[in-house]
Amino acid sequence: MNKIKVLAAVAVVIAVAAGAYFSAGKNEPVQTAAEPSPAAAEAQGQTAAKLADNRVYVMYVESCPMCAKALEYINSKYSDNAAVVKVDLNTADGKALLNACREKFGFKDVVIPLICAKDEYTMGWSAAQGVRLDGFVQSAAE
């Protein structure tokens, strides 16, 4: 009987931890101040400016297997291309860029890897996403 209780408790802990991990940063209520501080407004403007240039942003999480496949493709094909910027979403800069993409494109839920370029984005990874990435890189060069 005690083994069942222990297993049930472990299952609850795992479920709660998984829920917290997978929902982190997703659909959180946005709290906006009446007026952002000058430093916050400047940082937000700089982040938006980073997205407006001719670069392709590949946003990933290191533990994601699909992100690993995308990064493998990118590293094999675009390792010397300065237009392709890899962004780790576990960093403050990565989260800021993700939020800028959310604002720019209007999506709430995110599937990684997320690739943003100019006025387009794509989520997830497959051979078709690789072709789309190639188009983004070509468009960024123009």
Side-chain angles (χ1 to χ4, degrees), residues 48-98:
K50 287 181 184 177
L51 290 175
D53 64 8
N54 290 332
R55 293 187 184 215
V56 177
Y57 296 92
V58 180
M59 299 180 197
Y60 68 94
V61 174
E62 286 186 30
S63 60
C64 168
M66 297 311 289
C67 296
K69 289 180 181 183
L71 291 172
E72 182 180 321
Y73 179 85
I74 291 162
N75 289 335
S76 71
K77 200 164 183 180
Y78 299 109
S79 64
D80 295 335
N81 192 327
V84 179
V85 179
K86 295 178 273 185
V87 180
D88 184 348
L89 291 176
N90 286 324
T91 65
D93 286 341
K95 290 174 185 172
L97 285 169
L98 174 61

Side-chain angles (χ1 to χ4, degrees), residues 100-121:
C101 280
R102 279 184 171 151
E103 288 178 25
K104 181 175 182 177
F105 297 110
F107 56 79
K108 292 181 182 178
D109 292 330
V110 176
V111 175
I112 52 175
L114 167 64
I115 303 168
C116 296
K118 290 190 180 185
D119 294 328
E120 299 182 85
Y121 72 93

Side-chain angles (χ1 to χ4, degrees), residues 4 98 117 123:
I4 293 173
L98 174 61
M123 296 184 193

